[in-house]
Amino acid sequence: MNKNNYITETPDGITKLRDAIKRAEAIVIGAGNGLSISAGLSGAGERFEKYFSDFGDNYGFSNMYAGWKYPFASNEERWGFRSRFIYINRYMDPPRKLYEGLLNLVKDKDYFVITTNLDYCFQRAGFDRHRLFCHNGDYGLFQCGKACHNKTYPNYETIREMLLAQGFIVKKDEDLEFPLNGNTYSSFIQMTVPEDLMPHCPICDELMRVNMREGGTFVEDEAWRTASRRYSEFLERVRDSKTLFLELGVTIGSSSIIKEPFIQMTGEWRDAIYACVNQGEAFAPKDIEANAICINGNIGRIISEL
């Protein structure tokens, strides 16, 4: 990226963003992984050490996302890790303050959310599911591993059984409990799950996988297609309105889904503003500078100030 072609920090950006929110008739939120990290769903540090220190010690990684991509030697090991990951990042009660603060900013506006996050935080915070498009899937759904049919399946019960098989005490929407020794590992905790708990496709018997964009076999089920259509219809309806495109914590890897379309629409629409809020990664092209706001900083702090 040629920095001469981009702006990275707007003077008095928070005040300008506050004014843009007040002025907006429609707000399109584009949310990436940085939003959930800012809310407290970090893949490393204390959360990793609490729930995955055994995997870290045995396999040498120190981040949940590195563990997700780790080439485990068996499905029993892979699902031992992934079942914990899914429960912790999808089913445990998430930190809500940041998401609830964001909802308070937009609840009285005509809004829509497109997100690449799979953690269900928007739904838990009370965002209208009819105004939400989870583009990259949902940790809470299984699909056929080779996408033999366009249907997904809720996975809570299977994930819970996998955790019980590892020795955890599991209560829905609550923290995992470690047997006997409080919040420390004991000899009761296993890193594998038995083969008979492996989820298989009811159509072709292929091993199931999480409904997420990886490996080229993502299933776009009926709910996904409906949300995609609602998003497109929303954009068409508000294109002549005073519209704010509010991008929060989007990484370069998701730029083609959120950042690039937001920038393009800001340049083409009659009365649109593009706002990018990110920790160290906020930027916008200079050719929309007059209609852009960039704020580099902690998203939680900025939402709180707003």
Side-chain angles (χ1 to χ4, degrees):
M1 181 180 77
N2 185 343
K3 293 184 178 180
N4 293 328
N5 297 327
Y6 293 87
I7 61 169
T8 58
E9 191 71 45
T10 300
D12 204 14
I14 292 178
T15 298
K16 291 178 180 177
L17 179 53
R18 184 182 295 115
D19 291 342
I21 292 171
K22 290 179 180 178
R23 177 178 177 273
E25 296 169 335
I27 297 178
V28 189
I29 297 172
N33 193 44
L35 179 62
S36 285
I37 291 174
S38 184
L41 294 181
S42 171
E46 182 179 347
R47 293 179 80 237
F48 180 86
E49 290 301 320
K50 181 174 182 179
Y51 298 110
F52 295 99
S53 63
D54 54 346
F55 278 95
D57 291 342
N58 280 273
Y59 297 97
F61 52 79
S62 58
N63 184 290
M64 293 184 203
Y65 300 102
W68 186 273
K69 296 179 180 179
Y70 188 85
F72 291 102
S74 69
N75 287 324
E76 289 83 356
E77 293 169 277
R78 180 176 300 105
W79 279 105
F81 177 86
R82 290 195 171 190
S83 60
R84 288 192 212 176
F85 181 104
I86 292 167
Y87 187 83
I88 291 161
N89 291 291
R90 171 63 168 79
Y91 292 115
M92 273 174 41
D93 200 21
R96 299 171 186 256
K97 183 178 179 180
L98 172 51
Y99 279 88
E100 289 174 347
L102 180 59
L103 178 59
N104 283 334
L105 282 178
V106 303
K107 65 183 180 181
D108 296 325
K109 299 287 186 177
D110 193 5
Y111 76 84
F112 208 101
V113 177
I114 177 172
T115 180
T116 53
N117 297 343
L118 293 82
D119 51 30
Y120 216 67
C121 283
F122 279 103
Q123 293 92 323
R124 298 270 186 118
F127 281 81
D128 184 349
R129 65 182 182 85
H130 296 103
R131 295 173 174 266
L132 179 63
F133 179 26
C134 298
H135 183 277
N136 284 6
D138 181 350
Y139 288 134
L141 298 174
F142 283 150
Q143 64 162 76
C144 173
K146 63 180 182 182
C148 78
H149 64 297
N150 288 329
K151 187 176 179 180
T152 58
Y153 303 84
N155 63 22
Y156 173 77
E157 292 300 333
T158 301
I159 296 302
R160 182 177 182 275
E161 289 298 320
M162 289 182 174
L163 288 166
L164 291 172
Q166 291 175 69
F168 286 102
I169 300 169
V170 185
K171 297 180 180 179
K172 190 172 184 178
D173 293 342
E174 294 183 15
D175 204 349
L176 292 178
E177 294 182 14
F178 296 81
L180 298 184
N181 295 336
N183 287 335
T184 59
Y185 281 90
S186 74
S187 60
F188 289 88
I189 300 298
Q190 307 294 318
M191 289 187 291
T192 61
V193 296
E195 185 178 0
D196 62 7
L197 288 181
M198 298 294 108
H200 288 269
C201 174
I203 306 298
C204 71
D205 203 40
E206 179 77 10
L207 190 66
M208 301 274 260
R209 70 173 184 84
V210 173
N211 179 231
M212 64 183 295
R213 289 190 181 276
E214 64 173 4
T217 55
F218 178 67
V219 165
E220 297 175 354
D221 65 4
E222 183 177 356
W224 188 98
R225 294 192 298 272
T226 298
S228 177
R229 184 183 69 251
R230 285 176 179 151
Y231 179 55
S232 297
E233 291 171 351
F234 178 85
L235 293 177
E236 183 62 29
R237 179 168 59 80
V238 303
R239 65 177 296 120
D240 292 323
S241 303
K242 296 175 181 177
T243 303
L244 171 64
F245 292 98
L246 179 57
E247 179 192 310
L248 302 169
V250 173
T251 63
I252 295 297
S254 300
S255 61
S256 63
I257 300 166
I258 297 174
K259 178 178 281 290
E260 292 172 14
F262 277 19
I263 290 171
Q264 180 178 350
M265 287 184 283
T266 299
E268 294 175 352
W269 289 18
R270 178 177 59 83
D271 199 356
I273 296 291
Y274 168 71
C276 180
V277 182
N278 211 332
Q279 182 78 54
E281 295 187 44
F283 65 92
K286 283 190 174 180
D287 58 6
I288 65 163
E289 183 173 7
N291 294 67
I293 301 167
C294 289
I295 305 173
N296 277 281
N298 181 275
I299 300 172
R301 177 186 60 79
I302 293 163
I303 295 298
S304 179
E305 289 189 36
L306 290 169

